Amino acid sequence: MPTWDWASEGTTMYSGKHRDIGFNLQVAATLAGDLLAVSTPVPGSRHDMYAWRQSRFADREGMGDLGYVGSGLLTARRKPPGQERPAADKVFNKSIGKLRAAVERAIAHLKDWKILATRYRGPLNRFPLIIEAVTALSFYKKGW
């Protein structure tokens, strides 16, 4: 989630992967695309795997993108260096991609809330409360 560039935070909020300032959030969703939970924000300079281990989801089964290889999550298979991707890996990766599309849809619906769709400019210490409120409102919208 991108935020305002806070000079007082130094480089702790800068994500080299996204080349932007912000927080890393972990999202849990069903295979139907329904939001289950959102983790507490981790400064954007931390790797996805670190954010996953800090979240309350770390002891559960699930799937993730290639940033989570070695975490125990179900991930796509990487292309062997200097070789063609085996046909079985292509089929496997395609099936993983179809399942992950629902999670990406849940993330997109979370960004329907304007405060998460645009760059957050409020006080950084309030951002975790904003995430909790938006998650609760998303559940309310679903009728949960």
Side-chain angles (χ1 to χ4, degrees):
M1 303 309 307
T3 63
W4 191 257
D5 186 7
W6 294 92
S8 63
E9 296 297 317
T11 59
T12 61
M13 300 290 288
Y14 182 76
S15 169
K17 176 181 174 182
H18 299 288
R19 302 200 189 299
D20 205 357
I21 310 295
F23 286 104
N24 184 327
L25 296 173
Q26 301 296 301
V27 174
T30 66
L31 293 179
D34 293 324
L35 181 69
L36 290 176
V38 179
S39 72
T40 56
V42 175
S45 63
R46 303 309 301 246
H47 190 275
D48 288 342
M49 185 77 85
Y50 176 86
W52 175 257
R53 287 187 180 129
Q54 296 301 311
S55 73
R56 60 182 182 252
F57 319 130
D59 58 346
R60 296 195 167 98
E61 293 180 0
M63 67 180 70
D65 60 20
L66 289 175
Y68 299 93
V69 171
S71 67
L73 294 174
L74 185 62
T75 61
R77 296 181 183 148
R78 292 181 190 246
K79 178 180 165 287
Q83 300 176 17
E84 286 294 317
R85 187 181 309 275
D89 283 1
K90 288 181 182 180
V91 171
F92 180 78
N93 288 354
K94 191 173 184 177
S95 64
I96 292 292
K98 287 179 181 178
L99 293 173
R100 286 197 61 246
V103 177
E104 297 299 332
R105 189 169 46 254
I107 293 170
H109 285 303
L110 192 61
K111 290 181 180 180
D112 283 346
W113 299 92
K114 187 172 183 175
I115 196 161
L116 298 182
T118 59
R119 192 169 295 278
Y120 178 71
R121 295 174 59 172
L124 295 179
N125 61 348
R126 288 192 190 158
F127 192 68
L129 295 173
I130 300 289
I131 296 300
E132 286 180 27
V134 169
T135 304
L137 288 169
S138 296
F139 292 154
Y140 181 76
K141 184 178 176 183
K142 274 293 215 188
W144 290 4

mmCIF file of all heavy atoms in Angstrom, residues 1-2 25 38 107 109-120 127 130-131 134-135 138:
data_model
loop_
_atom_site.group_PDB
_atom_site.id
_atom_site.type_symbol
_atom_site.label_atom_id
_atom_site.label_comp_id
_atom_site.label_asym_id
_atom_site.label_seq_id
_atom_site.Cartn_x
_atom_site.Cartn_y
_atom_site.Cartn_z
ATOM 1 N N MET A 1 0.844 -1.163 0.000
ATOM 2 C CA MET A 1 0.000 0.000 0.000
ATOM 3 C C MET A 1 0.896 1.234 0.000
ATOM 4 O O MET A 1 1.661 1.428 0.935
ATOM 5 C CB MET A 1 -0.900 0.014 1.230
ATOM 6 C CG MET A 1 -1.794 -1.186 1.412
ATOM 7 S SD MET A 1 -2.824 -1.706 0.042
ATOM 8 C CE MET A 1 -3.683 -0.274 -0.424
ATOM 9 N N PRO A 2 0.824 2.040 -1.031
ATOM 10 C CA PRO A 2 1.690 3.216 -1.095
ATOM 11 C C PRO A 2 1.293 4.285 -0.084
ATOM 12 O O PRO A 2 0.127 4.453 0.238
ATOM 13 C CB PRO A 2 1.491 3.721 -2.523
ATOM 14 C CG PRO A 2 0.190 3.164 -2.968
ATOM 15 C CD PRO A 2 -0.012 1.885 -2.213
ATOM 16 N N LEU A 25 1.229 -5.549 3.053
ATOM 17 C CA LEU A 25 0.095 -6.205 3.711
ATOM 18 C C LEU A 25 -0.044 -7.620 3.162
ATOM 19 O O LEU A 25 0.111 -7.842 1.973
ATOM 20 C CB LEU A 25 -1.211 -5.456 3.431
ATOM 21 C CG LEU A 25 -1.327 -4.044 3.958
ATOM 22 C CD1 LEU A 25 -2.605 -3.404 3.434
ATOM 23 C CD2 LEU A 25 -1.320 -4.044 5.465
ATOM 24 N N VAL A 38 -6.764 -9.536 6.830
ATOM 25 C CA VAL A 38 -5.649 -8.718 6.359
ATOM 26 C C VAL A 38 -4.694 -8.582 7.530
ATOM 27 O O VAL A 38 -5.112 -8.328 8.660
ATOM 28 C CB VAL A 38 -6.131 -7.327 5.891
ATOM 29 C CG1 VAL A 38 -4.959 -6.486 5.420
ATOM 30 C CG2 VAL A 38 -7.163 -7.460 4.785
ATOM 31 N N ILE A 107 -8.041 -8.881 -3.307
ATOM 32 C CA ILE A 107 -7.192 -7.706 -3.092
ATOM 33 C C ILE A 107 -7.754 -6.513 -3.865
ATOM 34 O O ILE A 107 -7.793 -5.390 -3.348
ATOM 35 C CB ILE A 107 -5.741 -8.015 -3.500
ATOM 36 C CG1 ILE A 107 -5.145 -9.056 -2.552
ATOM 37 C CG2 ILE A 107 -4.893 -6.745 -3.510
ATOM 38 C CD1 ILE A 107 -3.816 -9.618 -3.001
ATOM 39 N N HIS A 109 -10.880 -5.986 -4.630
ATOM 40 C CA HIS A 109 -12.081 -5.507 -3.935
ATOM 41 C C HIS A 109 -11.712 -4.728 -2.676
ATOM 42 O O HIS A 109 -12.412 -3.793 -2.295
ATOM 43 C CB HIS A 109 -13.011 -6.665 -3.586
ATOM 44 C CG HIS A 109 -13.768 -7.195 -4.751
ATOM 45 N ND1 HIS A 109 -14.578 -6.407 -5.534
ATOM 46 C CD2 HIS A 109 -13.820 -8.427 -5.290
ATOM 47 C CE1 HIS A 109 -15.108 -7.139 -6.500
ATOM 48 N NE2 HIS A 109 -14.656 -8.370 -6.370
ATOM 49 N N LEU A 110 -10.619 -5.106 -2.037
ATOM 50 C CA LEU A 110 -10.151 -4.357 -0.877
ATOM 51 C C LEU A 110 -9.753 -2.945 -1.295
ATOM 52 O O LEU A 110 -9.977 -1.977 -0.571
ATOM 53 C CB LEU A 110 -8.964 -5.084 -0.241
ATOM 54 C CG LEU A 110 -8.496 -4.630 1.122
ATOM 55 C CD1 LEU A 110 -9.605 -4.795 2.152
ATOM 56 C CD2 LEU A 110 -7.274 -5.406 1.543
ATOM 57 N N LYS A 111 -9.207 -2.826 -2.486
ATOM 58 C CA LYS A 111 -8.795 -1.514 -2.998
ATOM 59 C C LYS A 111 -9.968 -0.716 -3.551
ATOM 60 O O LYS A 111 -9.781 0.395 -4.029
ATOM 61 C CB LYS A 111 -7.719 -1.683 -4.059
ATOM 62 C CG LYS A 111 -6.403 -2.156 -3.481
ATOM 63 C CD LYS A 111 -5.350 -2.284 -4.555
ATOM 64 C CE LYS A 111 -4.041 -2.760 -3.968
ATOM 65 N NZ LYS A 111 -3.020 -2.895 -5.018
ATOM 66 N N ASP A 112 -11.187 -1.271 -3.479
ATOM 67 C CA ASP A 112 -12.371 -0.481 -3.821
ATOM 68 C C ASP A 112 -12.539 0.682 -2.852
ATOM 69 O O ASP A 112 -13.146 1.690 -3.190
ATOM 70 C CB ASP A 112 -13.644 -1.341 -3.770
ATOM 71 C CG ASP A 112 -13.782 -2.244 -4.981
ATOM 72 O OD1 ASP A 112 -13.065 -2.031 -5.971
ATOM 73 O OD2 ASP A 112 -14.621 -3.168 -4.925
ATOM 74 N N TRP A 113 -12.008 0.517 -1.640
ATOM 75 C CA TRP A 113 -12.062 1.574 -0.652
ATOM 76 C C TRP A 113 -11.009 2.605 -1.035
ATOM 77 O O TRP A 113 -9.826 2.298 -1.111
ATOM 78 C CB TRP A 113 -11.812 1.008 0.744
ATOM 79 C CG TRP A 113 -12.832 -0.002 1.124
ATOM 80 C CD1 TRP A 113 -12.754 -1.346 0.944
ATOM 81 C CD2 TRP A 113 -14.106 0.256 1.692
ATOM 82 N NE1 TRP A 113 -13.898 -1.942 1.382
ATOM 83 C CE2 TRP A 113 -14.752 -0.984 1.849
ATOM 84 C CE3 TRP A 113 -14.770 1.409 2.093
ATOM 85 C CZ2 TRP A 113 -16.019 -1.095 2.369
ATOM 86 C CZ3 TRP A 113 -16.040 1.291 2.627
ATOM 87 C CH2 TRP A 113 -16.652 0.052 2.769
ATOM 88 N N LYS A 114 -11.442 3.820 -1.274
ATOM 89 C CA LYS A 114 -10.568 4.860 -1.816
ATOM 90 C C LYS A 114 -9.317 5.094 -0.970
ATOM 91 O O LYS A 114 -8.245 5.359 -1.503
ATOM 92 C CB LYS A 114 -11.334 6.171 -1.991
ATOM 93 C CG LYS A 114 -10.533 7.219 -2.703
ATOM 94 C CD LYS A 114 -11.344 8.432 -3.046
ATOM 95 C CE LYS A 114 -10.491 9.419 -3.818
ATOM 96 N NZ LYS A 114 -11.260 10.552 -4.272
ATOM 97 N N ILE A 115 -9.432 4.938 0.338
ATOM 98 C CA ILE A 115 -8.280 5.203 1.195
ATOM 99 C C ILE A 115 -7.153 4.204 0.924
ATOM 100 O O ILE A 115 -5.986 4.498 1.148
ATOM 101 C CB ILE A 115 -8.672 5.227 2.684
ATOM 102 C CG1 ILE A 115 -7.574 5.878 3.510
ATOM 103 C CG2 ILE A 115 -9.003 3.830 3.192
ATOM 104 C CD1 ILE A 115 -8.012 6.363 4.847
ATOM 105 N N LEU A 116 -7.488 3.009 0.404
ATOM 106 C CA LEU A 116 -6.464 2.026 0.067
ATOM 107 C C LEU A 116 -6.103 2.060 -1.417
ATOM 108 O O LEU A 116 -5.096 1.485 -1.821
ATOM 109 C CB LEU A 116 -6.920 0.618 0.451
ATOM 110 C CG LEU A 116 -7.177 0.391 1.937
ATOM 111 C CD1 LEU A 116 -7.562 -1.053 2.181
ATOM 112 C CD2 LEU A 116 -5.962 0.772 2.763
ATOM 113 N N ALA A 117 -6.913 2.705 -2.214
ATOM 114 C CA ALA A 117 -6.653 2.773 -3.654
ATOM 115 C C ALA A 117 -5.716 3.917 -4.000
ATOM 116 O O ALA A 117 -5.107 3.922 -5.063
ATOM 117 C CB ALA A 117 -7.965 2.930 -4.410
ATOM 118 N N THR A 118 -5.606 4.887 -3.111
ATOM 119 C CA THR A 118 -4.746 6.041 -3.360
ATOM 120 C C THR A 118 -3.613 6.051 -2.341
ATOM 121 O O THR A 118 -3.612 5.272 -1.389
ATOM 122 C CB THR A 118 -5.544 7.351 -3.245
ATOM 123 O OG1 THR A 118 -6.112 7.435 -1.929
ATOM 124 C CG2 THR A 118 -6.656 7.410 -4.273
ATOM 125 N N ARG A 119 -2.693 6.918 -2.532
ATOM 126 C CA ARG A 119 -1.543 7.050 -1.634
ATOM 127 C C ARG A 119 -2.004 7.562 -0.266
ATOM 128 O O ARG A 119 -2.620 8.613 -0.172
ATOM 129 C CB ARG A 119 -0.545 8.016 -2.259
ATOM 130 C CG ARG A 119 0.789 8.030 -1.586
ATOM 131 C CD ARG A 119 1.796 8.788 -2.402
ATOM 132 N NE ARG A 119 2.094 8.161 -3.678
ATOM 133 C CZ ARG A 119 2.947 7.156 -3.849
ATOM 134 N NH1 ARG A 119 3.568 6.657 -2.817
ATOM 135 N NH2 ARG A 119 3.158 6.656 -5.037
ATOM 136 N N TYR A 120 -1.714 6.795 0.796
ATOM 137 C CA TYR A 120 -2.112 7.179 2.152
ATOM 138 C C TYR A 120 -1.242 8.341 2.617
ATOM 139 O O TYR A 120 -0.018 8.254 2.604
ATOM 140 C CB TYR A 120 -1.976 5.987 3.097
ATOM 141 C CG TYR A 120 -2.331 6.318 4.519
ATOM 142 C CD1 TYR A 120 -3.632 6.562 4.884
ATOM 143 C CD2 TYR A 120 -1.340 6.425 5.495
ATOM 144 C CE1 TYR A 120 -3.966 6.895 6.189
ATOM 145 C CE2 TYR A 120 -1.660 6.744 6.797
ATOM 146 C CZ TYR A 120 -2.975 6.978 7.129
ATOM 147 O OH TYR A 120 -3.300 7.303 8.421
ATOM 148 N N PHE A 127 -2.271 4.045 10.444
ATOM 149 C CA PHE A 127 -2.519 3.166 9.304
ATOM 150 C C PHE A 127 -3.022 1.776 9.715
ATOM 151 O O PHE A 127 -3.942 1.253 9.084
ATOM 152 C CB PHE A 127 -1.274 3.067 8.416
ATOM 153 C CG PHE A 127 -1.545 2.422 7.096
ATOM 154 C CD1 PHE A 127 -2.342 3.052 6.149
ATOM 155 C CD2 PHE A 127 -1.017 1.184 6.787
ATOM 156 C CE1 PHE A 127 -2.608 2.462 4.927
ATOM 157 C CE2 PHE A 127 -1.269 0.589 5.571
ATOM 158 C CZ PHE A 127 -2.065 1.232 4.642
ATOM 159 N N ILE A 130 -6.665 2.025 10.229
ATOM 160 C CA ILE A 130 -7.357 2.193 8.947
ATOM 161 C C ILE A 130 -7.575 0.821 8.302
ATOM 162 O O ILE A 130 -8.667 0.522 7.811
ATOM 163 C CB ILE A 130 -6.544 3.105 8.002
ATOM 164 C CG1 ILE A 130 -6.330 4.480 8.604
ATOM 165 C CG2 ILE A 130 -7.157 3.164 6.621
ATOM 166 C CD1 ILE A 130 -7.538 5.355 8.677
ATOM 167 N N ILE A 131 -6.539 -0.010 8.334
ATOM 168 C CA ILE A 131 -6.639 -1.355 7.755
ATOM 169 C C ILE A 131 -7.710 -2.163 8.476
ATOM 170 O O ILE A 131 -8.533 -2.839 7.842
ATOM 171 C CB ILE A 131 -5.275 -2.074 7.798
ATOM 172 C CG1 ILE A 131 -4.259 -1.343 6.925
ATOM 173 C CG2 ILE A 131 -5.397 -3.530 7.379
ATOM 174 C CD1 ILE A 131 -4.638 -1.250 5.470
ATOM 175 N N VAL A 134 -11.202 -0.813 7.447
ATOM 176 C CA VAL A 134 -11.573 -1.187 6.078
ATOM 177 C C VAL A 134 -11.894 -2.677 5.998
ATOM 178 O O VAL A 134 -12.850 -3.078 5.330
ATOM 179 C CB VAL A 134 -10.456 -0.790 5.086
ATOM 180 C CG1 VAL A 134 -10.689 -1.403 3.721
ATOM 181 C CG2 VAL A 134 -10.360 0.717 4.976
ATOM 182 N N THR A 135 -11.130 -3.504 6.702
ATOM 183 C CA THR A 135 -11.415 -4.945 6.733
ATOM 184 C C THR A 135 -12.785 -5.199 7.349
ATOM 185 O O THR A 135 -13.583 -5.978 6.815
ATOM 186 C CB THR A 135 -10.321 -5.684 7.523
ATOM 187 O OG1 THR A 135 -9.049 -5.395 6.936
ATOM 188 C CG2 THR A 135 -10.553 -7.179 7.502
ATOM 189 N N SER A 138 -15.459 -4.180 4.973
ATOM 190 C CA SER A 138 -15.566 -5.160 3.883
ATOM 191 C C SER A 138 -16.402 -6.355 4.325
ATOM 192 O O SER A 138 -17.226 -6.866 3.548
ATOM 193 C CB SER A 138 -14.185 -5.619 3.449
ATOM 194 O OG SER A 138 -13.445 -4.576 2.912
#
